[in-house]
Short mmCIF file of all heavy atoms in Angstrom, two decimals:
data_model
loop_
_atom_site.label_atom_id
_atom_site.label_comp_id
_atom_site.label_asym_id
_atom_site.label_seq_id
_atom_site.Cartn_x
_atom_site.Cartn_y
_atom_site.Cartn_z
N LYS A 76 3.02 79.17 23.81
CA LYS A 76 2.49 78.93 25.17
C LYS A 76 1.22 79.72 25.44
O LYS A 76 0.92 80.03 26.57
CB LYS A 76 3.56 79.22 26.23
CG LYS A 76 4.82 78.38 26.05
CD LYS A 76 5.83 78.60 27.13
CE LYS A 76 7.07 77.70 26.93
NZ LYS A 76 8.08 77.88 27.97
N ASP A 77 0.51 80.05 24.35
CA ASP A 77 -0.74 80.81 24.49
C ASP A 77 -1.64 80.53 23.30
O ASP A 77 -1.31 80.98 22.18
CB ASP A 77 -0.45 82.30 24.60
CG ASP A 77 -1.69 83.13 24.93
OD1 ASP A 77 -2.82 82.61 24.78
OD2 ASP A 77 -1.53 84.31 25.32
N PRO A 78 -2.74 79.80 23.47
CA PRO A 78 -3.61 79.49 22.34
C PRO A 78 -4.30 80.67 21.71
O PRO A 78 -4.88 80.56 20.63
CB PRO A 78 -4.62 78.51 22.93
CG PRO A 78 -4.67 78.88 24.39
CD PRO A 78 -3.28 79.27 24.75
N LYS A 79 -4.26 81.82 22.38
CA LYS A 79 -4.91 82.99 21.84
C LYS A 79 -4.04 83.78 20.91
O LYS A 79 -4.51 84.71 20.21
CB LYS A 79 -5.35 83.92 22.99
CG LYS A 79 -6.40 83.28 23.93
CD LYS A 79 -6.77 84.23 25.05
CE LYS A 79 -7.81 83.61 25.99
NZ LYS A 79 -8.14 84.52 27.11
N LYS A 80 -2.78 83.43 20.82
CA LYS A 80 -1.84 84.18 19.98
C LYS A 80 -1.87 83.69 18.53
O LYS A 80 -0.86 83.26 17.98
CB LYS A 80 -0.43 84.13 20.55
CG LYS A 80 -0.30 84.94 21.85
CD LYS A 80 1.15 84.97 22.34
CE LYS A 80 1.28 85.87 23.57
NZ LYS A 80 2.66 85.94 24.06
N VAL A 81 -3.07 83.76 17.93
CA VAL A 81 -3.27 83.33 16.57
C VAL A 81 -3.96 84.43 15.79
O VAL A 81 -4.94 85.02 16.28
CB VAL A 81 -4.12 82.06 16.48
CG1 VAL A 81 -4.22 81.59 15.03
CG2 VAL A 81 -3.61 80.97 17.37
N LYS A 82 -3.47 84.73 14.63
CA LYS A 82 -4.16 85.62 13.68
C LYS A 82 -4.78 84.72 12.62
O LYS A 82 -4.06 84.00 11.91
CB LYS A 82 -3.20 86.61 13.04
CG LYS A 82 -3.88 87.51 11.99
CD LYS A 82 -2.86 88.43 11.35
CE LYS A 82 -3.51 89.30 10.26
NZ LYS A 82 -2.50 90.17 9.59
N PHE A 83 -6.11 84.77 12.48
CA PHE A 83 -6.77 83.96 11.49
C PHE A 83 -6.96 84.78 10.21
O PHE A 83 -7.54 85.87 10.27
CB PHE A 83 -8.11 83.46 12.04
CG PHE A 83 -7.99 82.50 13.18
CD1 PHE A 83 -8.18 82.92 14.47
CD2 PHE A 83 -7.62 81.19 12.96
CE1 PHE A 83 -8.07 82.04 15.53
CE2 PHE A 83 -7.47 80.29 14.00
CZ PHE A 83 -7.69 80.73 15.30
N VAL A 84 -6.50 84.24 9.11
CA VAL A 84 -6.58 84.91 7.82
C VAL A 84 -7.59 84.14 6.95
O VAL A 84 -7.28 83.00 6.50
CB VAL A 84 -5.21 84.97 7.13
CG1 VAL A 84 -5.36 85.63 5.75
CG2 VAL A 84 -4.22 85.74 7.98
N PRO A 85 -8.76 84.66 6.70
CA PRO A 85 -9.75 83.98 5.87
C PRO A 85 -9.30 83.98 4.40
O PRO A 85 -8.96 85.04 3.85
CB PRO A 85 -11.04 84.77 6.02
CG PRO A 85 -10.74 85.87 6.96
CD PRO A 85 -9.29 85.94 7.21
N LEU A 86 -9.32 82.81 3.78
CA LEU A 86 -8.83 82.63 2.39
C LEU A 86 -9.86 81.86 1.60
O LEU A 86 -10.38 80.85 2.10
CB LEU A 86 -7.50 81.93 2.38
CG LEU A 86 -6.32 82.58 3.12
CD1 LEU A 86 -5.18 81.59 3.28
CD2 LEU A 86 -5.86 83.84 2.37
N ASN A 87 -10.09 82.26 0.36
CA ASN A 87 -10.91 81.44 -0.51
C ASN A 87 -10.04 80.37 -1.13
O ASN A 87 -8.82 80.31 -0.94
CB ASN A 87 -11.67 82.25 -1.54
CG ASN A 87 -10.76 82.92 -2.58
OD1 ASN A 87 -9.71 82.40 -2.94
ND2 ASN A 87 -11.15 84.05 -3.08
N SER A 88 -10.65 79.43 -1.88
CA SER A 88 -9.93 78.29 -2.38
C SER A 88 -8.80 78.65 -3.34
O SER A 88 -7.79 77.96 -3.42
CB SER A 88 -10.92 77.32 -3.04
OG SER A 88 -11.64 77.98 -4.07
N GLN A 89 -8.97 79.74 -4.06
CA GLN A 89 -7.95 80.14 -5.02
C GLN A 89 -6.78 80.87 -4.39
O GLN A 89 -5.66 80.87 -4.89
CB GLN A 89 -8.58 81.03 -6.12
CG GLN A 89 -9.59 80.28 -6.98
CD GLN A 89 -10.32 81.17 -7.95
OE1 GLN A 89 -10.80 82.26 -7.60
NE2 GLN A 89 -10.41 80.73 -9.21
#
Side-chain angles (χ1 to χ4, degrees):
K76 301 183 179 181
D77 187 344
K79 296 180 181 179
K80 290 185 175 181
V81 185
K82 177 183 178 182
F83 293 103
V84 178
L86 300 166
N87 66 32
S88 55
Q89 294 174 313

